[in-house]
Amino acid sequence: MRNVRGGGGGGGGYGGGALVAEQPHNNGLIQRPKFGDLLKSDQGLLLHSPNNNEEEEEGGRFFNQSSSGETTPNSTMSPYNQSYEASPYVKSPWITTTTSPYMDNNVSENGLIASIVREEGHIYSLAASGDMLYTGSDSKNIRAWKNLKEFSGLKSNSGLVKAIILSGDRIFTGHQDGKIRVWKANSTKSPGSHKRVGSLPTLRDFVKCSVNPKNYVEVRRKKNVVKIKHFDAVSSLSLNEHLGLLYSASWDRTLKVWRISDSKCLESINAHDDAINSVVSGFDSLVFTGSADGTVKVWNREVKLSKGSTTISHFMLQVLLKQESAVNALAVNHDKGVIYCGSSDGLVNYWDRDKHTLLHGGVLRAHKMAVLCLAAAGNLVFSGSADKNICVWKRDECTGAHSCLSVLTGHTGPVKCLSVKEDRVNDINEDEVDYKDVGGRCWIVYSGSLDKSVKLWRVSEYAPDLSNGRLSFSSRGGNWNAKSQTTIEKGI
């Protein structure tokens, strides 16, 4: 049975995004307003102040009750103690953050930063770079956000956008209809807009290939297709920027290799016996694929120079995993040489690089339902699941063992996609930062869900020394906690 891993397009039109910055309340949980109420708001922005004093809402602003009984504007809303009317700072969704009770003043704050909510579709794919965020939903289009404000839209006429990947000023999107589209930011005629600049394969290459009968492959009974084009959904994309290669995986069971410079399909590989759900370009010369047939395969890349031309080919090196449960997601830690695999049984398997081979390191157990997405950054691994949670795993640099550092909760639907980027420590030169003094490296995590929202989290590699008890961060309760027990089984 095919295990569907998909992406969707971000919706059509350019207006109507609602940004919700959710903050904790010491007296309990703050109930979210209905989305319909947000649409009626001119600003579409709600701020919940974490001040301990009793608050009253007057004229759309938050006020504190002073000891004398007078109602005054909340002075904490401005860092410069300016008047409420004069300070634009109060309109920022970043003025309040969630602080860990286990961290000192030198440790980066952790927790939910904000949520982007649109009612037009479930979020299936996302990609982030710099101040830009691209999201795809089942409304077929891609939506671009800049500094979490709606920026532009990329209009597509067909298919869910199941994968988004960024390369410089170009955006590659994989679609349900089997097409790979290429977009580029239009900075001249209409700043902020994007235009489609092509597709993979190009029309010229497709026509040229289609005239030769040798370029056809049989895909179903009495049906042949041109081998350089996917005939089923493109489920995953991965980039090797050093070599300028793009890898695409599809439910048609093939892995295709593209040269970005001229959009040429260099190779088409019949890689699995069922739909391929994930592909990642790994460390060294390795490429990994995971499939609904329950296997994870390792492919070795060979680059040959002959008569001034370069030939690239791939051959299968190893089968890392073979099981009944479908493999849904893969992630690679390039620096540490670790490959992670998430599957429908709720487990995350991982393998460590050992000289010229990969050894099974263990199994991470925390989710009650299928693992749908993975992301690796620094010493952390993030796993999103159909159980609506995101587990944050930390790898011990000395032993290679993993422990569940925390659980991010707040989504009301399955977590479908993750993206991580480093949160620079106050823009200090990285060479001058001792991460042990600031609680470890800090990361911004983007999570997309079928609840139609994208949440942003700030997560540090800091792990409080707690002997027992399960603790988690909740976007509703506003509590950042950590989970200290190790939840892995070695050598399975």
Side-chain angles (χ1 to χ4, degrees):
M1 179 179 295
R2 173 173 297 174
N3 185 32
V4 176
R5 296 276 66 76
Y14 299 164
L19 176 65
V20 183
E22 300 165 284
Q23 299 295 343
H25 195 291
N26 293 337
N27 296 329
L29 301 179
I30 295 176
Q31 299 295 327
R32 294 181 182 175
K34 294 182 178 179
F35 190 81
D37 296 335
L38 293 179
L39 294 178
K40 298 176 182 178
S41 172
D42 291 337
Q43 296 180 345
L45 175 66
L46 298 178
L47 294 178
H48 302 299
S49 172
N51 198 291
N52 294 330
N53 296 331
E54 201 173 305
E55 295 177 347
E56 296 179 1
E57 186 175 353
E58 181 176 321
R61 297 174 292 175
F62 285 97
F63 289 81
N64 289 335
Q65 195 75 18
S66 66
S67 57
S68 62
E70 297 179 357
T71 301
T72 58
N74 188 344
S75 61
T76 63
M77 300 295 277
S78 172
Y80 309 108
N81 199 25
Q82 299 170 346
S83 67
Y84 190 91
E85 299 288 341
S87 175
Y89 184 76
V90 300
K91 299 180 181 180
S92 170
W94 314 107
I95 57 177
T96 54
T97 55
T98 304
T99 307
S100 166
Y102 304 104
M103 299 183 181
D104 56 32
N105 293 332
N106 293 326
V107 177
S108 301
E109 297 172 329
N110 293 268
L112 182 74
I113 298 175
S115 295
I116 300 174
V117 182
R118 286 193 65 96
E119 202 172 8
E120 63 186 4
H122 307 92
I123 305 298
Y124 282 89
S125 57
L126 57 80
S129 178
D131 57 1
M132 293 297 299
L133 171 67
Y134 296 88
T135 60
S137 71
D138 52 12
S139 61
K140 300 181 181 180
N141 295 332
I142 305 101
R143 191 159 299 279
W145 308 80
K146 187 173 184 179
N147 295 320
L148 298 185
K149 294 181 180 179
E150 200 157 352
F151 188 60
S152 65
L154 289 68
K155 294 185 178 181
S156 173
N157 296 323
S158 61
L160 301 174
V161 183
K162 302 180 72 64
I164 305 175
I165 195 165
L166 310 178
S167 176
D169 60 349
R170 283 185 287 185
I171 304 117
F172 296 89
T173 56
H175 295 253
Q176 179 83 23
D177 59 8
K179 294 182 180 179
I180 302 172
R181 292 178 170 87
V182 187
W183 312 79
K184 192 174 182 179
N186 189 0
S187 58
T188 55
K189 294 183 179 180
S190 178
S193 65
H194 295 74
K195 64 178 180 179
R196 190 163 68 111
V197 294
S199 60
L200 303 178
T202 63
L203 179 60
R204 179 180 179 180
D205 288 342
F206 180 78
V207 173
K208 182 179 179 180
C209 188
S210 63
V211 298
N212 189 346
K214 294 182 179 180
N215 293 327
Y216 285 80
V217 292
E218 185 176 354
V219 295
R220 295 188 184 98
R221 186 180 302 176
K222 297 182 180 181
K223 181 178 180 180
N224 297 328
V225 297
V226 178
K227 65 180 181 181
I228 67 170
K229 184 181 183 300
H230 287 298
F231 68 89
D232 207 338
V234 177
S235 56
S236 179
L237 297 171
S238 184
L239 190 67
N240 184 313
E241 292 194 79
H242 177 67
L243 294 177
L245 299 178
L246 178 71
Y247 294 89
S248 62
S250 171
W251 288 352
D252 64 12
R253 309 178 185 183
T254 67
L255 167 67
K256 299 190 190 299
V257 187
W258 309 85
R259 187 166 55 208
I260 296 177
S261 60
D262 57 3
S263 302
K264 293 280 187 181
C265 181
L266 302 180
E267 195 174 6
S268 180
I269 306 169
N270 294 319
H272 287 268
D273 296 328
D274 205 340
I276 305 177
N277 292 322
S278 184
V279 59
V280 288
S281 177
F283 39 83
D284 300 332
S285 58
L286 303 180
V287 178
F288 302 90
T289 55
S291 168
D293 63 12
T295 63
V296 176
K297 293 184 178 182
V298 186
W299 305 85
N300 189 52
R301 179 177 55 249
E302 285 188 340
V303 180
K304 297 180 180 179
L305 296 176
S306 177
K307 297 180 180 180
S309 62
T310 302
T311 303
I312 297 177
S313 60
H314 297 73
F315 63 91
M316 192 179 73
L317 188 65
Q318 186 179 358
V319 178
L320 291 181
L321 181 68
K322 190 173 184 179
Q323 61 180 17
E324 292 185 3
S325 296
V327 175
N328 300 328
L330 298 173
V332 168
N333 185 322
H334 290 83
D335 296 332
K336 312 298 180 182
V338 187
I339 172 71
Y340 299 90
C341 157
S343 50
S344 292
D345 54 12
L347 303 180
V348 177
N349 285 267
Y350 68 93
W351 294 261
D352 296 297
R353 176 176 52 190
D354 182 24
K355 295 183 179 179
H356 300 293
T357 187
L358 292 166
L359 298 179
H360 189 251
V363 182
L364 311 183
R365 302 174 182 269
H367 294 290
K368 298 179 181 179
M369 301 177 70
V371 176
L372 303 181
C373 51
L374 292 170
N379 290 317
L380 300 183
V381 184
F382 305 86
S383 57
S385 170
D387 64 11
K388 308 173 187 178
N389 296 329
I390 304 166
C391 286
V392 184
W393 308 88
K394 184 176 182 180
R395 180 181 182 272
D396 187 280
E397 292 194 65
C398 298
T399 65
H402 292 67
S403 59
C404 189
L405 181 64
S406 61
V407 180
L408 309 180
T409 64
H411 279 297
T412 58
V415 180
K416 203 67 175 61
C417 47
L418 292 168
S419 181
V420 184
K421 70 175 184 179
E422 188 167 6
D423 184 21
R424 299 292 180 179
V425 185
N426 297 325
D427 294 329
I428 300 175
N429 188 331
E430 188 178 36
D431 297 333
E432 301 175 356
V433 177
D434 185 351
Y435 288 106
K436 293 182 180 179
D437 295 336
V438 296
R441 298 170 74 179
C442 199
W443 305 92
I444 300 297
V445 183
Y446 299 82
S447 59
S449 169
L450 299 187
D451 63 8
K452 303 180 181 181
S453 75
V454 174
K455 292 186 182 295
L456 279 75
W457 316 80
R458 180 179 287 111
V459 178
S460 171
E461 292 184 3
Y462 171 86
D465 184 14
L466 301 173
S467 58
N468 53 51
R470 174 172 177 165
L471 304 141
S472 63
F473 176 83
S474 170
S475 65
R476 295 192 177 193
N479 299 315
W480 167 267
N481 297 313
K483 187 176 179 182
S484 59
Q485 67 268 30
T486 300
T487 54
I488 67 171
E489 296 183 11
K490 298 287 287 183
I492 295 179

